[in-house]
């Protein structure tokens, strides 16, 4: 029994694990849709895609540079707008809150047109003010990862969205994939909670998929929004070193439930 008054929100990240194949993306959503039914009432669940307008996001001189790892990855896993719409429809069918990271202004337009309910700012985009100006005009609540951002930059971002009265959640994050345990700096969760007390604080992490201890420590530190990469291995589609399969995700969620139960409530004095 989870006894904290705020129900935790877990966002599963597909990123490019659909491997540019609609059928594989649907398989992932369906597998995790079945899994989360065993945790109904204990968490709210979201599923997140990433949108990039690759025709403009990648400079014309680099469109065919398959010798560059990220360009190769983006180009080989490109989906059509119809494919992305179908994945979003499946999120709805499986009961997930649809979330999307937009890496450019045109992608924010698509996020809104496709009916997503949360908008994500990647940590690498925190200094992209034209993108954040466009996000601030959206009615969607914003979730922002904070990896690599200075205190001054975070203050600017929070002030920017507060001034525009846009709901903002901040996620402690380390931009290292996968992240060694010694690099996690989990005390930053408490730092963010103290510095921005009016904003929900969470944890976006990239640990070894078999590690269930870090989520328990993050719960104890006060994180209530969690983001993890997930996937389903298939021929030609192996999981990377920081994405959880459904069995690993089940153990991770069970560990989070145990930590939430152990921490108990914080809304009043317990005797």
């Amino acid at each position: 029994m989870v006894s904290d008054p705020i129900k935790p929100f877990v966002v599963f990240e597909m990123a490019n694990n659909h491997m540019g194949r609609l059928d594989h993306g649907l398989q992932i959503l369906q597998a995790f849709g079945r899994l989360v039914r065993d945790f109904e009432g204990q968490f709210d669940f979201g599923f997140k895609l990433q949108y990039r307008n690759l025709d403009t996001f990648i400079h014309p001189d680099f469109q065919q540079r398959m010798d560059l790892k990220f360009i190769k990855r983006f180009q080989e896993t490109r989906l059509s707008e119809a494919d992305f719409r179908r994945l979003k429809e499946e999120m709805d069918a499986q009961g997930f809150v649809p979330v999307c990271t937009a890496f450019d202004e045109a992608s924010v337009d698509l996020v809104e047109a496709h009916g997503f309910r949360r908008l994500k700012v990647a940590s690498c985009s925190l200094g992209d003010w034209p993108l954040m100006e466009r996000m601030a005009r959206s009615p969607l609540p914003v979730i922002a990862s904070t990896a690599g951002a200075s205190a001054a930059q975070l203050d600017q971002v929070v002030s920017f969205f507060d001034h525009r009265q846009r709901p903002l959640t901040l996620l402690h994050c380390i931009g290292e994939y996968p992240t060694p345990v010694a690099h996690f700096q989990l005390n930053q969760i408490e730092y963010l909670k103290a510095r921005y007390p009016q904003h929900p604080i969470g944890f976006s992490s990239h640990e070894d998929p078999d590690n269930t201890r870090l989520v328990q420590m993050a719960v104890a530190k006060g994180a209530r929004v969690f983001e993890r990469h997930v996937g389903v291995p298939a021929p030609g589609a192996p999981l990377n070193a920081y994405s959880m399969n459904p069995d690993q995700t089940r153990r991770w969620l069970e560990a989070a439930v145990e930590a939430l139960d152990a921490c108990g409530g914080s809304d009043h004095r317990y005797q």
Side-chain angles (χ1 to χ4, degrees):
M1 175 181 177
V2 177
S3 50
D4 195 287
I6 301 173
K7 188 186 295 185
F9 183 40
V10 174
V11 180
F12 294 133
E13 164 73 86
M14 188 183 300
N16 299 102
N17 280 347
H18 52 68
M19 302 301 287
R21 292 165 36 195
L22 175 60
D23 63 332
H24 188 58
L26 294 173
Q27 179 188 12
I28 293 170
L29 289 168
Q30 291 159 5
F32 282 88
R34 291 190 295 270
L35 169 63
V36 301
R37 293 185 189 105
D38 293 337
F39 296 88
E40 287 181 355
Q42 297 171 308
F43 303 95
D44 289 327
F45 288 100
F47 221 106
K48 184 165 77 73
L49 295 174
Q50 295 182 351
Y51 278 12
R52 297 174 181 86
N53 185 345
L54 294 179
D55 293 335
T56 55
F57 185 76
I58 301 173
H59 191 279
D61 292 346
F62 289 82
Q63 286 284 337
Q64 304 306 317
R65 287 291 304 273
M66 296 304 176
D67 58 312
L68 300 177
K69 179 177 69 172
F70 292 110
I71 291 177
K72 184 176 188 292
R73 175 70 164 164
F74 296 156
Q75 294 286 28
E76 289 183 344
T77 59
R78 181 191 288 254
L79 289 175
S80 69
E81 182 181 349
D83 289 339
F84 278 124
R85 281 188 179 273
R86 178 67 187 89
L87 290 175
K88 191 272 176 183
E89 290 170 359
E90 190 63 29
M91 291 181 189
D92 293 333
Q94 296 296 332
F96 291 114
V97 175
V99 184
C100 193
T101 301
F103 284 89
D104 49 75
E105 294 93 311
S107 292
V108 179
D109 296 341
L110 278 185
V111 167
E112 293 174 346
H114 292 181
F116 283 86
R117 291 167 54 193
R118 301 288 189 278
L119 185 59
K120 176 75 189 293
V121 185
S123 55
C124 62
S125 298
L126 283 183
D128 186 342
W129 291 106
L131 174 59
M132 289 194 293
E133 285 279 3
R134 174 62 186 87
M135 288 183 169
R137 296 198 301 271
S138 173
L140 301 177
V142 174
I143 303 171
S145 286
T146 62
S150 66
Q153 188 175 29
L154 286 178
D155 286 348
Q156 287 179 325
V157 169
V158 172
S159 176
F160 175 84
F161 284 104
D162 282 354
H163 182 71
R164 290 156 179 79
Q165 300 181 324
R166 305 308 311 137
L168 177 67
T169 296
L170 297 172
L171 305 184
H172 169 55
C173 179
I174 301 295
E176 190 174 0
Y177 301 72
T179 311
V181 170
H183 294 182
F184 267 98
Q185 297 291 331
L186 289 177
N187 286 339
Q188 289 294 298
I189 295 171
E190 293 178 318
Y191 172 88
L192 293 173
K193 285 174 62 68
R195 194 173 186 90
Y196 310 111
Q198 302 306 314
H199 294 274
I201 303 301
F203 183 41
S204 176
S205 59
H206 313 103
E207 64 265 35
D208 183 294
D210 287 319
N211 188 314
T212 59
R213 301 181 304 279
L214 283 163
V215 68
Q216 293 187 313
M217 289 185 274
V219 166
K221 292 290 184 181
R224 288 299 178 269
V225 181
F226 303 89
E227 182 181 72
R228 281 302 310 269
H229 287 253
V230 298
V232 175
L239 292 187
N240 57 36
Y242 50 87
S243 289
M244 301 186 299
N245 65 37
D247 289 339
Q248 291 166 325
T249 304
R250 178 178 296 278
R251 292 192 292 272
W252 183 84
L253 288 170
E254 290 170 346
V257 169
E258 182 180 52
L260 287 160
D261 285 343
C263 287
S266 57
D267 56 330
H268 64 278
R269 172 65 183 162
Y270 282 78
Q271 294 177 289

